[in-house]
Amino acid sequence: MRPLIAAALFVTLAVGCGPPSRDNAVETTARKICKRAEECDTLDRDYGSYGECRAEWEDNFYDGWSEAACGDGQIDPKQLDECHTQIETYDCDSNGWQAVGILLGSCSANQVCSN
């Protein structure tokens, strides 16, 4: 029984180690942006609700990270992690300009997608 459990665990870990899917990358990144907006007390002012924020940012990333450039298997996990780190740590007092720079820089398709 233990060899079967070990084999199943190995397969699960091996499958999870590849590049994230485009859908997962878009959804995760949108969640992180909206969470940061909540932390910075700008969510209600800028989006109205968490759901509206998520929908807007998912649309933005689906548009910006095209299927051709950023499809499944084309997301660079290290660059995506860097994008997420930048989102999670931007200065709430920057009036949004730092966030714009992050989205145009470390979260851009040129950085995140390994076209």
Side-chain angles (χ1 to χ4, degrees):
M1 183 68 162
R2 284 188 183 192
L4 288 175
I5 293 171
L9 180 60
F10 174 77
V11 168
T12 301
L13 292 174
V15 169
C17 291
S21 71
R22 179 173 173 243
D23 289 341
N24 183 269
V26 164
E27 291 166 11
T28 301
T29 307
R31 275 196 315 271
K32 289 184 180 295
I33 289 172
C34 297
K35 180 177 182 235
R36 189 64 180 152
E38 278 183 321
E39 294 168 351
C40 293
D41 292 324
T42 60
L43 184 72
D44 292 335
R45 180 193 75 203
D46 294 344
Y47 304 102
S49 72
Y50 183 84
E52 289 176 24
C53 179
R54 283 272 311 271
E56 180 177 324
W57 280 105
E58 285 177 8
D59 286 347
N60 289 339
F61 283 113
Y62 276 119
D63 290 344
W65 297 348
S66 71
E67 182 69 33
C70 228
D72 291 352
Q74 295 176 296
I75 306 285
D76 182 328
K78 289 182 183 175
Q79 287 300 125
L80 185 62
D81 284 345
E82 178 61 24
C83 165
H84 291 168
T85 297
Q86 295 296 315
I87 290 168
E88 293 167 342
T89 60
Y90 76 81
D91 183 5
C92 292
D93 294 327
S94 69
N95 294 323
W97 289 110
Q98 185 181 11
V100 169
I102 290 166
L103 295 171
L104 294 175
S106 60
C107 294
S108 69
N110 288 338
Q111 293 298 312
V112 174
C113 306
S114 57
N115 33 353

